[in-house]
Amino acid sequence: MTDQTTPPTATGPRPDAETRVPDGERPAATCDYCGRPFVDEHLHWLHVGEHHGDALGPDERAAHEDALEAERDLLFFYQLKVAVALGLIYSTTALSMMFILG
Amino acid sequence: MARRSPRVAAVATLAAAAGLATGPAAAHVGTLEGATAESPIPTWFVVLVAGVVVGASFLFTSLMADHAALRWVNGLGLRAGLSRRLRDGLASVLGAASVLGLAAVVAVGLFGPPAANDNAASLFVWVAWWGGFTITTYAVGNAWPLVDPFRRLAGLVPGDGRRAYPEDLGAWPAVVGVLALVFLEVVSSATERPRVLAVLVVGYAALAVGGAAIFGAGSWFANADPLAALFRTYGSLAPLQRTEDGLAVRLPGAALTDGDVFRRPGMVAFVLALLWATTFDGFVSTPAWTAAVTPLAELGVPAVLLYVLALAGGFAGFYLTYRLATRRARDSAGTYVTAAAIARWLAPSLVPIAAGYHLAHFLGFVVALAPTLFAALQAPIAGPAGLGYTVLGLPDWFGFLKLGFVLGGHLLAIWVAHSIAFDLFPGARQPIRSQYPLIAVMIAYTLVSAWVVVSPTVPTPYT
């Protein structure tokens, strides 16, 4: 009777969240597939690949790949900062612990 | 709750008198403040470190930025079908038993021993059910729909109600209901006097039947019934989940990440009410609360009013802080997703926090008073006076365990929020950035709840 659940795929359908563009503002990009507005092209192409990956044409796929590449680079620098922050937090906490325990 | 009520203090005194627990341990039965007060580390530092751990855990979690892997982890599990006949059979047997149990609680409450610590109904309701059963709903799975006696009674009402349940009202009646229940538990004498408890149980049943008569049992229990909403919400954290045709075992909290799981209007408020109710329950027995209330009460301000104000004000504070944080998340993420949608999507991440705090608050209470409950059950009407009491003393390290539950809840919350944010926003950096305001709020919650947990417990004043 039991079976392994099928792991959800990264492109599986998920309910979408409501959006609202403030009056007088024009979104930088809007998804052709679901109409979701984005504040920049980069996020738009990330979204298109993640949510509508099966339906993309070659141009769209290339745009998504580029956005993904850029995201990876930016993420690397972000994570470098996180690693430094973690190190600082850890050493500060450990030092103050030693100080308090005398 | 009863933990700091005079009745449990009485139990503790009794235990000490009977020589069943040593002095300090007996004090801990009622107070459970544990080791942190005596440890060489100052309390404020313990609280601060708890906040730092939550912040650092967020940073650490942000390193896990692979959306597919997150989904894979949250999708792990086993599913099993359950035959409809078995399920229906189980439901009718347990349903009938639960109604008998309810009748027994009312009967023993009314005609059993008048003191709560002798009365099997009081001990059953507060120790086994409000404490113990609630723990099973988030630690194992939500069995309440199977054993809910109120639902059975309401099911006897013929027809589908006289009018449609107003959809916009959603869970709001349950928000008011859960706050009212905690208020009654803290302020009324329901924890000390079994007669009062029995009357409250009958009143709750009447409300459920009345609600079902007006709106139909299905709508009432899906929306307005506070206990059903409470256990359903806690149950959404549990590893055991109901599926269309059976059961699934998943990682704790994984079901919370399925995406927009609290769609009903008012559910965000309900989760925050749950969080605040659990915090309030502990907060009113801190020395700080006594210190704040005493001068005001001496000036003639009615104590009940102070409790109402604290309960309502605290809830409003929690709710508005959360809504403000989700509005800020819209800016920190740079998105057109509405603040209301962000609030709704991320609300499930607050459930583990409430559960962790509940566990810290109640596990010791349940363990310590379980033997008293068993003694009382042996003679529900006559009372166990001749049988003697056993109240378990808890070891000193229990205080650290409690702090661990609070922290554990927050860490799971961070994982859940992280997983949800990756579903809600594209890429990796926007999901991470969207969580900044929420993490700030979570750190604040950690500081508050860790402070309540490590504070010495004193009797709730003026109740």
Side-chain angles (χ1 to χ4, degrees), chain B residues 320-393:
Chain B
L320 293 177
T321 309
Y322 179 73
R323 292 306 295 252
L324 192 71
T326 51
R327 204 166 305 156
R328 291 292 295 273
R330 205 172 128 92
D331 301 332
S332 75
T335 179
Y336 291 126
V337 176
T338 60
I342 297 176
R344 214 179 57 232
W345 270 72
L346 288 174
S349 69
L350 302 173
V351 177
I353 303 180
Y357 194 71
H358 183 275
L359 193 60
H361 195 59
F362 279 101
L363 184 63
F365 173 70
V366 172
V367 170
L369 286 180
T372 314
L373 168 65
F374 288 121
L377 281 174
Q378 289 169 40
I381 297 294
L387 300 168
Y389 294 100
T390 310
V391 178
L392 296 181

Side-chain angles (χ1 to χ4, degrees), chain B residues 82 86-99 133 141-149 151-152 240 242 247:
Chain B
L82 204 61
L86 179 67
R87 214 172 356 151
D88 291 350
L90 203 64
S92 37
V93 170
L94 289 174
S98 75
V99 174
F133 178 78
N142 177 21
W144 184 241
L146 277 178
V147 297
D148 181 352
R151 198 182 296 242
R152 303 299 138 167
L240 206 59
R242 266 199 67 175
L247 293 170

Side-chain angles (χ1 to χ4, degrees), chain A residues 5 9 14 20 36 50 71, chain B residues 71 79 336 423-424 427-428:
Chain A
T5 51
T9 57
R14 291 266 162 140
R20 193 176 59 80
R36 181 163 162 174
E50 280 179 29
E71 182 76 358
Chain B
R71 278 196 167 190
R79 271 158 222 263
Y336 291 126
D423 269 348
L424 189 52

